Amino acid sequence: MTATTDAPAMEVGRDRRRKEDRRLITGRTRWTDNLSAPGMLHIAMVRSPVAHATIGAVNVKAAQEASGVVAVVTGADLADEQGTLPNVWSITPDQKVPPHPSVAVDTVRFAGEVVAVVVARSAAEARDAIELVDVDYDDLPVVLDTRDALADGATILHPDLGTNESAHLVLDFQTEGAAGNVDAVIETASKDGIVFEREYEQQRLIPAFMEPRSMLCDPTGEQIVLWSATQIPHVLRVLLALSLGVSESKLRVVAPDVGGGFGGKLQVTPEEFITVLVARRLGKPCKYTETRSESLMVAHHGRAQHQKLTLAAKKDGTVTGLKVELEADMGAYLSLLGGGTPTLGAFMFNAIYKFDAYRFDLRTVFTNKAWTDAYRGAGRPEATFGIERLMDDFAHELGMDPLELREKNWIRHEEFPFTTVAGLEYDSGNYEAATAKAKELFGYDELRAEQAERRDRKDPVQLGIGVSTYTEMCGLAPSRILGALSYAAGGWEHASVRMLPTGKVEVITGSSAHGQGHETAWSQIAADALGVDFDDIEVLHGDTAVASRGMDTYGSRSLVVGGMAVVAAAEKVVEKAKVIAAHMLEASPDDVDFAGGAFSVRGTDQAKSMAEVAFAAFAAHDLPDGVEPTLEGDATIDPNTFSYPHGTHLCAVEVDTETGQVTIRKYVCVDDIGKVVNPLIVEGQVHGGVVQGIAQALFEEAVYDESGTLVTGSFTDYLVPSAADLPTMVTDRTETPATTNPLGVKGVGEAGTIASTPAVVNAAVDALRPYGVDDITMPLSPQRVWRAIQDGADR
Amino acid sequence: MIPARFDYHAPTTLDEAVRLLAEAGDEAKVLAGGQSLLPVLRLRLAAPEVVVDLGRVDELRGVREDGDTLVIGAMTSHAEVAASDAVRRHARVLSEAAATVADPQVRHRGTIGGAIAHADPAGDMPAPVLALGGELVVGGPGGRRTVPADDFFEDLFTTALGDDEILVEVRIPSHQGWGGHYAKFTRVAQQWSIVAVAAAVRTEGGSIAEAKVALTNMGSTAVRATAVEQALVGAEPSDEAVRAAAAQAAEGTSPPSDINGDADFRRNLATVLTRRAVLAAAGS
Amino acid sequence: MTSITVNVDGASYTDEVEPRMLLVQYLREQLGKTGTVVGCDTTNCGACTVHLDGRSVKSCSVLAVQADGHEVTTIEGLATNGELHPMQEAFHESHALQCGYCTPGMIMQAIDLLMDNPDPSEQEVREGLEGNLCRCTGYQNIVKAVRAAAKAGA
């Protein structure tokens, strides 16, 4: 075979249409709820209608006798084997972690907590029978706000802990040149600078992925198999083994097609524990699929922080110090990451600005609400919101243009790599370029002029402009840093690249996509690395029996860590193939070049294709000494550092002052995510991320009434917006490659969400400053906006 | 998600449907388009023993003109009402309101009769029918009777329909030549009305000769804004004049307070939307 | 139990069903047509959208018994002889899906939208999709796909 002379086009950087699409657009999907097994039984949950109560009798007789019911299991029945749901992040050495049974035994602590489990031969019969389970509840006082939970005399949710505070974390940072810690810096500013204080609210949100969670456990084989719509099959497997006393080698977890996650499916759930325990007990496959009402009520919520920020600055607006005090609502129990989620924000409040001193003070607190955990951005959107709102408010205080204030304080392009006051080294960035591009695309000056005009003629529709210059830390995460933060696991990722004898390729990744297009992007990476056709590559993931090693997908880590593992594994394949090819070509590996998918002896036309080498490795008739048969490369990458995408988002809103309605007139984002593997996928991530951030600003909130019942318990009331409620945005990029990985990529999954919320709120507040408004609590419902205008007029 | 069990009947005539209802007593629910009933059944907020499906009673469908009266069969879908030339001509504000209900899929199934009989205070059908002085024709064991819209809507989810009665048709006196507009305020597009205003206006010689205005979700039922109607007689269709009249829109109303808005906010919306709806109707 | 005969994706099926069975459950559980999915329980999300006698409906809000004697088209009935429907092509070309869960319902509604309005503006597309929720894409590429399909004469 002769060498091919035409090299295939570079895949990385191409707008490749996705491999995943075919099955998804034709309905040939494998959602967990589609699956069934012979003799499968159906699970329905009896859930507490009350938020805080002791459990008296649980009467199951009527349910047991109902048509089709095979078993009714209570907390008492499972008390000895259900263990406790795990928390893997001790944000302080003395963090208090209450036991968390999957099925409540003596106390319920949030509305929706499972009290009994019905197993029946059909889903309808299981559903019918849950109404026949009669539970006696003795109500206890309900605590719904972290402030109330921390007050003297508050009802304690977990009496053995003696407090509703899970942890109090204080991180004190200062630069080498600082005159002292943040107290000193604030003290100095109070004398001859400015001290500026603000309080903001991060409302409680619900991730609301479109696919309700579903799980099927088949205990009948040699391994217990759990299919689950999860983002974390590998993590789940380890924790199921540790928590339930199942031998890990007897456990296989599969995430089939998963319909969105956004951090909401990054959890080890009571429902999964229950499904495994019940299936094992009955010796039959058991399936549980939640209803949307259940999902909104009990699948973990996000955000939920009271924020207080204190800024110290010089009179000219140069910032010097930042103090952040947070109360983060954990809900009734500590979730998998628990306090770790707001802790991630610790490193981001200082954002892109140069502070001399900074303190992060976090209290994580229990309340009688659903537990909280990661939701798109996990701690970083909260941080970016706080600092970007603060900067806009401070700019107004100084009478300075908000972009000018940012520019005065941000890390200059020439100053990279730059170590921030929080101790992170940002490798590269160019805030100037992103901002200049954004301003131009936005028509900043023209819109400011229009704003002035509307103000002059007291137009009932006012215009506002909001700024958000963000960075984020992603590519979670260097394992040693996670260890230092007392997170129980690491942040590496694994890939195998396998050349099959016929020249096709399998890429096995420990990443676990749920919409991000890894099958396509990893194929692009491998195609370039191996010189193999994009269509000859199959990406396998999500099944612990197939992708045996992995740390799954969250924290915008998959490309930066998982993608790099693919690169490294492919390099190993090429290395080994080169040695074999050299042997086949009777040359020294030093004289062999690899290009266009073929190995050639330099200066000759002697060549072997990758496919030929793969077959030779399989046949193993004549391999060089020390080289094992088959052609496969294996790599586990532990990143050295985080990656730091950044961007500038500009938002113009129209506020109808008569009704309070806020409409986005224009949204421009310029993001710098380093080098781009697939621009189409990147743009899609930005669109989706920005919209979730807009939705937090304008539409969404998980609302509880005074009894602790979730009022926004369906999409009728929890307002996920449709296309009709949203603008078309202008997206663009600058490209400042990461210097910390071979592809120069930075990750993009959460960036849009991190940036957009403050951009929108800043815009609305900007519109209404002449009306005496300086803040509006999210979501900016028409009611709240109108009320803010009325209140502002009264001042 | 899964409703409780029920017995199901799909009669093909109105008489059969009435008979089935009478047999079931108060244990039956009527299924029209199902876009309100099925969500209720799925959440198990109701668990009737019997469901009588009107989907095959063809005599209840269709739009026709009966002299000066527009007649809409109870089982006519929102999509059909919104697309009907006759409805647009004779009852413009009703046509507009039907086009705003929920979303396209729901409009393909949901019916005007089902919506009116369900009488959700946030529903869009009652206010236009009330504003235009419509009548509801009801069929029961004793035959048919006609109830003026003013007397039909009694309370939250409560109408003059008896347990054994079915809404047959909606009759609306023609308002051909009148302008009409339905101004609906929501936070997201597919949402139930937070507040909405149905306005029908007749102009003569450049001023408003007559106006009919009804409000959605400003009380337990739709209500006529009679003070506004009176104030608009002879008014110029200008912002200033209409604003003054619309200021009375919330008079006599008792708007609810919920997560979408408190009573004060709704009162404000009522005045703003009334002004906008009347101006649009006067200009249309 | 009630006997129903429904034509689904071009084939006729006769089955005994409980009256309470929703059309979406009938499709998924009895006919094995799992391409149509359930996303909510309050008729909001539109993930379950199919065509009933040629018009889009939310199959979670139709009883299987109401479909007796009628025609249903699901996402699985769109491609003919292995060739994708132009709307499916457009979604693929425009990267109008990420996780894909809302996609069948979105595609079915988009096709219906173009039946009423063959050349919609961007705003008209957005309004036409008000009953379909997506959490991944931010809708921008979906709007693009629908307008591309309109231009292609879908």
Side-chain angles (χ1 to χ4, degrees), chain A residues 736-757:
Chain A
T736 315
T739 62
T740 50
N741 64 67
L743 281 187
V745 298
K746 291 187 177 180
V748 71
E750 293 155 300
T753 303
I754 289 167
S756 58
T757 308

Side-chain angles (χ1 to χ4, degrees), chain A residues 107-174:
Chain A
T107 313
V108 293
R109 296 182 173 86
F110 68 98
E113 188 163 3
V114 179
V115 172
V117 182
V118 171
V119 191
R121 298 200 5 243
S122 71
E125 286 167 314
R127 177 61 188 82
D128 290 338
I130 61 180
E131 292 180 344
L132 302 173
V133 176
D134 186 35
V135 183
D136 293 330
Y137 296 102
D138 272 310
D139 284 332
L140 295 169
V142 161
V143 180
L144 295 175
D145 188 276
T146 56
R147 292 186 180 127
D148 296 331
L150 292 176
D152 285 333
T155 300
I156 304 296
L157 263 73
H158 304 281
D160 289 347
L161 300 180
T163 171
N164 287 325
E165 182 180 282
S166 172
H168 183 192
L169 171 67
V170 181
L171 299 172
D172 231 328
F173 303 102
Q174 60 194 79

